[in-house]
């Protein structure tokens, strides 16, 4: 059994993101070949974004730090610490309104 402190990881990744020109940093904490789910923590400094991209399939987004907006053609969802949402199965993007960290969980096909 392995355990990861998402709080500590979010802090570390935010510190790293502040040094990157993209304003982002990420680390997959679980989800290699033997798993059915992939968990990735993504940190974004205020004002940075993940440009629109295709949906990874069934996935959720949980806000660990800050405030983010998940955007798509149909509208947007604003999430704050503790919020969890399904990621729509359409092209979408993510914007950090404040320094933020999220946990992306994706169902892997085997």
């Amino acid at each position: 059994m392995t355990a990861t402190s998402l709080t500590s990881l979010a802090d570390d990744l935010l510190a790293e993101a502040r040094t990157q020109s993209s304003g982002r940093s990420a680390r997959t904490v679980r989800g290699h070949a033997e798993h059915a789910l992939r968990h990735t923590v993504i940190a974004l400094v205020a004002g940075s974004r993940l440009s629109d991209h295709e949906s990874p399939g069934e996935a959720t987004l949980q806000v660990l730090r800050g405030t983010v907006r998940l955007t798509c053609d149909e509208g947007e969802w604003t999430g704050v610490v503790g919020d969890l949402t399904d990621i729509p199965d359409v092209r979408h993007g993510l914007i950090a309104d404040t320094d933020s960290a999220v946990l992306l969980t994706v169902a892997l096909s085997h």
Side-chain angles (χ1 to χ4, degrees):
M1 192 166 18
T2 61
T4 300
S5 169
L6 296 178
T7 301
S8 294
L9 182 56
D11 290 342
D12 293 346
L13 290 174
L14 271 170
E16 184 178 318
R18 290 181 186 110
T19 70
Q20 303 298 316
S21 61
S22 65
R24 322 187 284 257
S25 182
R27 185 169 312 143
T28 297
V29 293
R30 183 179 188 277
H32 306 288
E34 68 277 5
H35 298 286
L37 298 173
R38 181 177 60 229
H39 303 281
T40 303
V41 176
I42 305 167
L44 304 106
V45 296
S48 64
R49 65 177 49 227
L50 296 176
S51 298
D52 285 355
H53 54 279
E54 297 303 321
S55 176
E58 186 176 358
T60 61
L61 190 74
Q62 180 180 1
V63 183
L64 304 174
R65 290 264 191 288
T67 303
V68 297
R69 284 179 287 138
L70 184 65
T71 61
C72 64
D73 285 344
E74 290 80 28
E76 68 179 44
W77 170 82
T78 299
V80 297
V81 176
D83 286 352
L84 174 72
T85 190
D86 293 324
I87 294 178
D89 194 17
V90 297
R91 248 180 110 67
H92 61 278
L94 185 67
I95 302 167
D97 291 328
T98 64
D99 286 0
S100 301
V102 297
L103 176 65
L104 171 65
T105 302
V106 177
L108 302 173
S109 56
H110 289 281

